[in-house]
Amino acid sequence: MILTVDETHYDDAHQRDCARVVALVSGGGQHSRPGIAEALDMTSTTTSKVVGDLIARGLLVETAGEKSGRGRPAIRIGLNTQRFAATVIHVSSRSLRGTLVDFGGRTLERLSLDMRADADRDQMTAAMQDLVTFLADKCPADMQHIGTSVSVSGVVDVESRTWLLTSRWPKIRDFDLAAALAPVTPEVLVCRHLDAELSARMLQDPIYGTDNTLLLHWGWGIGLAYSVNGDPFIRAGGPFGEIGHWRFNRLGERPCGCGNHGCLETAASLWALLPRMLERWPSLSENEEVLAGQMARRPLLDMDDMRTGVELMARSLANVCRLLFPKRVIVTGPFIANADVWQAFEQAFRAEGLIGTLELPVLIADKSSEEFAILGAVRPLFNLGLETFIRS
């Protein structure tokens, strides 16, 4: 759990130094006072004052290090990961999954609730409130629950914290998540699931934070996230990356959950293709994680609809690349678990070309990561909680 610091958010030098020390220590390991002073270019006096303040307030802890030679063992400084906790709610297929995460990024408790396809706003509100209440009650007596981050799929306005629509639950429209959860949690942040996952992937592997990286999910819905040199491409917080709702004349009047017709998702998404797949293989699951394993060795390309979906996905991604010019594209979702589908998709994408002699980006097939999505969703909430704590 590596926290970040925006020094402009703090009123004075002491607050900024406190935030910098916590951000350093949040990277893990045990630190000495001299080591902190050197890493942050602080005087020993300032370091002692800041560390002492944070220990007194329970955000840092000190322990005796290993003894080396004569004298007392060195005192090591670490993050008190039990000081704060936060809840994360995210969507997986047609389930809401809740996770309680401590200040070090460790999962303390989980709970999953299945939601019917016809769930409405009141039912969604009740389920989310139940998740948060259950998880927050699992915090130890000395641990402060600071809020909830909701990571959703579909179309979302992050700034207004509104879930605009989702193909998983067609009755959910213009859903004010902040208002829904206000009675049960101190703070509510909202993010797109793919943005959270890409953020955490860049944290784990710095190569993804260089140049331009695009994350494309091809599953129940179809969407993307994008970063430029490690920074999210969209900062305004509005909807972004919904290529699943690009429209194609050849798809005619196929109805889409967004209210339009002829969208890419009507031909290539799991919600569109799964009913046809179930006619051939009735045991297939709706859960993307389970389905990836089930589809791995099925002759999916025997289906005309699947071949059409592959073709349209390849063309759509190529068009995205002509707009954003990513260096690499990470593709996730159950379809790519099938080697034949992945090979056909990659060949069709290469055949599209880019512009002139410009090279297409590297394609990377990978699994969707729930852990990445949780970490990416909770980090901004912990950053906000740290700022509030230090300024208080």
Side-chain angles (χ1 to χ4, degrees):
M1 175 60 67
I2 300 176
L3 303 175
T4 56
V5 178
D6 186 339
E7 298 191 10
T8 65
H9 290 186
Y10 296 97
D11 299 328
D12 57 42
H14 179 69
Q15 291 181 355
R16 289 191 292 273
D17 287 339
C18 285
R20 293 171 63 215
V21 168
V22 175
L24 173 67
V25 175
S26 75
Q30 297 288 310
H31 301 259
S32 66
R33 283 177 172 81
I36 292 173
E38 181 179 1
L40 299 178
D41 195 23
M42 293 165 53
T43 67
S44 58
T45 300
T46 299
T47 302
S48 293
K49 180 180 179 182
V50 168
V51 170
D53 183 12
L54 293 172
I55 289 174
R57 301 178 67 187
L59 201 54
L60 298 182
V61 292
E62 55 183 355
T63 57
E66 294 184 3
K67 186 174 181 179
S68 178
R70 297 182 177 181
R72 293 180 299 178
I75 300 299
R76 313 302 271 178
I77 308 300
L79 186 69
N80 180 8
T81 60
Q82 300 299 296
R83 184 64 177 84
F84 299 126
T87 44
V88 176
I89 296 176
H90 74 278
V91 173
S92 177
S93 297
R94 281 204 176 102
S95 297
L96 295 178
R97 295 189 178 181
T99 308
L100 181 68
V101 184
D102 72 12
F103 203 37
R106 185 171 63 97
T107 295
L108 302 178
E109 188 73 45
R110 297 179 189 269
L111 180 65
S112 180
L113 298 177
D114 293 333
M115 302 296 296
R116 291 169 52 95
D118 61 354
D120 59 23
R121 187 177 309 191
D122 290 340
Q123 292 167 326
M124 191 67 67
T125 296
M128 287 187 171
Q129 288 185 357
D130 287 346
L131 280 175
V132 173
T133 300
F134 171 84
L135 293 168
D137 286 346
K138 296 299 181 179
C139 289
D142 57 348
M143 177 182 283
Q144 180 183 348
H145 177 252
I146 64 170
T148 301
S149 183
V150 187
S151 175
V152 296
S153 56
V155 185
V156 58
D157 188 323
V158 173
E159 191 70 20
S160 68
R161 297 178 291 183
T162 302
W163 200 0
L164 300 176
L165 65 90
T166 170
S167 58
R168 288 171 171 84
W169 297 288
K171 290 185 178 180
I172 300 300
R173 290 290 189 274
D174 302 323
F175 182 29
D176 188 335
L177 291 162
L181 291 175
V184 295
T185 190
E187 183 66 55
V188 179
L189 293 185
V190 175
C191 64
R192 295 195 320 140
H193 188 95
L194 290 177
D195 291 331
E197 182 175 343
L198 181 56
S199 174
R201 285 179 181 272
M202 291 189 295
L203 182 66
Q204 186 203 51
D205 190 342
I207 192 64
Y208 291 152
T210 61
D211 302 309
N212 304 340
T213 299
L214 188 146
L215 173 64
L216 171 66
H217 183 72
W218 180 12
W220 191 268
I222 300 166
L224 60 85
Y226 184 58
S227 68
V228 179
N229 294 324
D231 292 325
F233 182 65
I234 293 298
R235 291 184 175 274
F240 174 72
E242 294 301 323
I243 67 167
H245 300 289
W246 283 1
R247 301 172 70 186
F248 290 82
N249 289 339
R250 65 183 288 185
L251 299 179
E253 293 300 309
R254 297 189 189 191
C256 182
C258 71
N260 287 323
H261 295 80
C263 295
L264 174 62
E265 285 195 5
T266 67
S269 71
L270 187 56
W271 67 258
L273 291 171
L274 186 58
R276 299 172 179 83
M277 294 163 61
L278 286 170
E279 293 174 1
R280 302 186 62 173
W281 305 295
S283 63
L284 294 181
S285 171
E286 283 192 353
N287 183 289
E288 288 193 11
E289 297 173 8
V290 176
L291 188 59
Q294 292 178 325
M295 294 199 313
R297 291 178 174 82
R298 309 271 183 178
L300 299 183
L301 293 180
D302 287 353
M303 300 171 55
D304 291 341
D305 289 338
M306 188 72 244
R307 293 197 299 273
T308 298
V310 169
E311 177 190 342
L312 292 176
M313 283 294 299
R315 175 149 295 180
S316 297
L317 179 57
N319 284 335
V320 169
C321 292
R322 296 183 189 104
L323 176 67
L324 299 177
F325 295 95
K327 181 75 171 181
R328 64 192 63 83
V329 178
I330 308 166
V331 186
T332 64
F335 291 106
I336 66 165
N338 184 286
D340 292 337
V341 170
W342 174 252
Q343 182 180 33
F345 170 70
E346 190 172 27
Q347 288 176 349
F349 175 67
R350 295 296 169 199
E352 286 286 333
L354 197 55
I355 298 175
T357 58
L358 292 175
E359 294 185 359
L360 286 163
V362 175
L363 287 186
I364 304 168
D366 204 354
K367 294 180 180 179
S368 299
S369 171
E370 180 175 297
E371 297 307 316
F372 280 152
I374 292 170
L375 178 59
V378 82
R379 283 182 68 240
L381 186 58
F382 279 140
N383 281 323
L384 178 61
L386 174 62
E387 290 179 12
T388 302
F389 176 84
I390 288 176
R391 290 198 305 268
S392 64

